[in-house]
Amino acid sequence: MSSWTEVPGGMTTTLPVAAAVAAGEELFVFAVGADQGVYYNHKTPDRSWAAAWTRIPSGQTKVAVCPVVNSVGVLSVIITGLDSRLYVSTYYADGAKWSAWQSLDGGTGSTAFTAAAVENNRQYAYFVTGNDKHVYVNANVSGTTF
């Protein structure tokens, strides 16, 4: 096994990081900064890390993020916002930009914890630990079994 090397850009965080591989085999790593913003770095097509971390606009969280890649390689990031609601932003590789954050729960649920998510044939299931410490699922799984 090779030695550990720092991802360029000098990011520091007190929360766990997360990673995902999107279409085109681009490797992304995510971290929450001191400003509670969501940042990412990625390996460029020539297989080197970007020189700096980039903030996904607007979103803020106090907990680790949850990346999820769908069956065609589209990358999304789920966060628990400062209001304890779940939000998602999607990366558009063709323009190298992120969508605006959108609520996942319609404003009806809340959690102080990090979410988990899976995708199966463009159908998603989201999992959270509720404020009551029970595990909850929300899925748009019409016709798909997980």
Side-chain angles (χ1 to χ4, degrees):
M1 176 173 242
S2 61
S3 63
W4 291 91
T5 58
E6 183 179 339
V7 175
M11 170 59 71
T12 60
T13 185
T14 59
L15 296 172
V17 297
V21 176
E25 298 184 10
E26 279 190 90
L27 173 61
F28 287 77
V29 62
F30 299 92
V32 177
D35 63 353
Q36 300 173 331
V38 179
Y39 292 82
Y40 72 97
N41 198 328
H42 71 288
K43 282 213 168 186
T44 59
D46 68 358
R47 302 287 185 213
S48 62
W49 287 103
W53 289 78
T54 303
R55 188 170 195 255
I56 300 174
S58 303
Q60 288 184 289
T61 185
K62 293 180 182 179
V63 297
V65 303
C66 173
V68 62
V69 178
N70 72 15
S71 57
V72 295
V74 176
L75 172 65
S76 296
V77 175
I78 300 165
I79 64 169
T80 301
L82 298 181
D83 61 359
S84 298
R85 305 214 187 282
L86 297 178
Y87 295 90
V88 63
S89 181
T90 299
Y91 182 73
Y92 297 101
D94 58 348
K97 64 180 184 176
W98 292 86
S99 70
W101 292 98
Q102 297 179 7
S103 175
L104 280 178
D105 57 15
T108 59
S110 68
T111 182
F113 303 99
T114 301
V118 294
E119 187 273 346
N120 183 16
N121 196 25
R122 297 187 187 196
Q123 301 295 315
Y124 292 86
Y126 306 101
F127 301 88
V128 297
T129 302
N131 292 325
D132 61 1
K133 310 292 189 267
H134 291 262
V135 177
Y136 293 87
V137 61
N138 186 345
N140 65 345
V141 292
S142 56
T144 302
T145 303
F146 283 95

